[in-house]
Amino acid sequence: MNPDFSQLDLNGRLRHLITLDGLDAALMRELLNRAQGYLCLPGQLPPRGGDLCGWTVANLFAEPSTRTRASFELAALRLGADALNLDVMLSSRVKGESILDTIYTLQAMQVDVFVIRDAEPGIIEFVARHVEDHVSVISGGEAHLSHPTQGLLDALTIQQSKGGFRDLIVTIVGDIRHSRVARSAHCALRALGIAELRLVAPEEMMPDRGEFAGAVRYRSFDEAIERADVVMMLRIQRERIAETATTDPRNYHEQYGLTAARLARARPEAIVMHPGPMNRGVEISSEVADGPQSVIRRQVSNGVAIRMAVLAQLAEARRRRTP
Ligand code: CP
């Protein structure tokens, strides 16, 4: 994010949510606590609220999504807002309309919040600089750079399973170089104070040395998983890798796939995370993905709760600015 742009308002409250980089740990904790209140037991009716009554939330996703898009829509509806899903690939953008003209058009229809996923770095902040004062912009995933609500839902899942962050060893495995999930997890977990972050990946999937400050890099998965409390698996982001680059899935699975045998090297109570979508048999075996240590489906449930918390927080901040 450019240093002259802030995603906070003058009261220090959320105005937009574009990145977790530099976001105060206290604000993150507030969002995690608020999200906890939106959760329910399986089979119960999900909590609802009127925090966004009369608002309109628009999802503008220029890259594929199941979890993020659906959960933002459900979060908006459960808080009483209208939800609009614009299929960007079927919108007038393909006829040459610019992103800003698209935003101004929807703003004229009284959209209050834009949730944007885009492959172009910087575009979400660019939109945030141009919306009207009362309008907020949330990143639903920006290129390989940032996926803030994913970082928060991952932190919430770890907090629920481990009771906090202190003393935890977290191992992130796979295509970290192209992963916005890993970057946002790093921002969140560093701010919330885990003991150690380990990265393990083949050379071509490791991030540049200047990134992931404080993390310890491994080449061997067997070493990186020793005594880990949390194992976060990532898929290979083929959409961000040159078509000529090939990875043999069987070879990859052998070296960087999470199997039950490999998981046994972690702490016995370690949890297994994956942001989805999964490629079973490549980065993770079905035995582990569906096994007792997997919290992958809980991550999905937490995703709705975190997105409700972010939307409710934006609404509260707006009410304070314009009572
Ligand atoms: N984790 C995540 O961003 O999933 P989707 O691409 O399905 O939204």
Side-chain angles (χ1 to χ4, degrees), residues 10-207:
L10 294 176
N11 303 317
R13 312 286 300 173
L14 268 191
R15 161 84 199 283
H16 308 288
L17 181 59
I18 295 170
T19 178
L20 297 183
D21 194 7
L23 202 68
D24 193 38
L27 188 47
M28 289 190 208
R29 280 193 211 99
E30 205 178 313
L31 288 167
L32 303 192
N33 290 341
R34 195 186 269 257
Q36 197 62 43
Y38 292 125
L39 288 164
C40 64
L41 295 171
Q44 286 184 340
L45 290 177
R48 292 176 181 273
D51 300 61
L52 266 71
C53 194
W55 284 43
T56 302
V57 176
N59 279 331
L60 272 64
F61 278 51
E63 288 190 310
S65 169
T66 295
R67 280 147 283 267
T68 312
R69 195 174 113 160
S71 58
F72 265 115
E73 183 177 0
L74 286 175
L77 294 170
R78 287 178 188 170
L79 289 172
D82 293 326
L84 167 73
N85 284 305
L86 187 79
D87 190 335
V88 175
M89 292 311 162
L90 292 177
S91 76
S92 289
R93 285 208 66 196
V94 294
K95 294 187 268 184
E97 188 163 55
S98 72
I99 178 98
L100 274 191
D101 282 332
T102 305
I103 295 290
Y104 293 151
T105 300
L106 295 173
Q107 215 171 231
M109 298 179 194
Q110 275 84 47
V111 166
D112 298 279
V113 180
F114 290 99
V115 183
I116 301 176
R117 172 173 286 192
D118 207 286
E120 190 180 329
I123 196 91
I124 301 175
E125 180 189 319
F126 174 73
V127 170
R129 284 174 180 274
H130 287 85
V131 291
E132 290 174 12
D133 284 347
H134 66 282
V135 173
S136 292
V137 176
I138 303 175
S139 168
E142 178 184 359
H144 62 288
L145 294 174
S146 176
H147 195 348
T149 53
Q150 179 74 44
L152 291 169
L153 77 87
D154 288 341
L156 177 61
T157 308
I158 292 171
Q159 180 174 269
Q160 286 166 352
S161 305
K162 298 290 162 197
F165 300 95
R166 262 190 73 199
D167 304 328
L168 291 185
I169 298 176
V170 178
T171 301
I172 303 184
V173 190
D175 186 6
I176 301 162
R177 185 177 187 83
H178 304 104
S179 175
R180 54 192 172 212
V181 171
R183 284 179 178 79
S184 286
H186 171 242
C187 292
L189 299 179
R190 197 159 184 239
L192 294 167
I194 60 164
E196 189 177 332
L197 180 64
R198 299 174 178 173
L199 308 180
V200 58
E203 179 64 35
E204 68 278 14
M205 294 181 193
M206 265 295 183

